[in-house]
Amino acid sequence: MKILFVCTGNTCRSAMAEGVARRIAVERGLSEVVIGSAGTSAWEGSPASDGALLVAMERQLDLSQHRSRQLTPDLIAAHELILAMGPHHLERIEALGGTGKAHLLTAFASYNAELRSINDPFGGDLEHYRATLTELEREIRLVVDRLVAERAPDLPP
């Protein structure tokens, strides 16, 4: 299964989400899962933001190799599940052909019980980044739990 996380610039939320999801996939032995990220207004090739890099390092996540990517129809077509950080990201994903496989991250994690955005730490202090990373860790664990419970075709039982 190929999962794509989407935010605006692909330097904060979706970059951290990609790192978190990769770690959780390794912890759960989900070697068949491929994880990526992109931004609806990304500056192609930008590194993760300083705040994202620092708080990720605090939690033993290495984002040093991350480079931002612009969301494209080809990226959308290449992924089975696309998780958006906010409603405006979801709208853009759907406009580019992602209808039916794109969801708000919180909605997918909660079986549509929650329809809220993930806090955007951009421009905030490290506490904002820490809070966002904590939120992402919680929501992505729920996403993986759901995928395993629903036994996505290429996930082990």
Side-chain angles (χ1 to χ4, degrees), residues 9-28:
N10 192 213
T11 59
C12 299
R13 291 174 288 179
S14 60
M16 291 190 295
E18 180 180 354
V20 166
R22 283 189 176 147
R23 177 172 44 208
I24 293 169
V26 168
E27 289 172 0
R28 300 284 296 266

Side-chain angles (χ1 to χ4, degrees), residues 69-117:
R69 296 189 294 178
Q70 177 65 33
L71 183 68
T72 65
D74 287 344
L75 268 178
I76 290 169
H79 290 80
E80 289 90 6
L81 176 62
I82 305 168
L83 299 171
M85 300 296 146
H88 55 291
H89 303 122
L90 184 60
E91 289 171 11
R92 183 69 183 137
I93 295 162
E94 290 176 344
L96 292 173
T99 302
K101 61 180 173 179
H103 310 269
L104 274 177
L105 172 59
T106 56
F108 190 84
S110 69
Y111 294 85
N112 291 319
E114 291 190 50
L115 300 173
R116 62 180 171 73
S117 297

Side-chain angles (χ1 to χ4, degrees), residues 110-140:
S110 69
Y111 294 85
N112 291 319
E114 291 190 50
L115 300 173
R116 62 180 171 73
S117 297
I118 298 292
N119 177 50
D120 186 357
F122 185 74
D125 62 20
L126 288 180
E127 286 307 312
H128 285 100
Y129 279 88
R130 287 181 187 113
T132 298
L133 187 53
T134 297
E135 183 179 19
L136 287 168
E137 288 171 334
R138 180 183 62 247
E139 297 299 327
I140 293 168

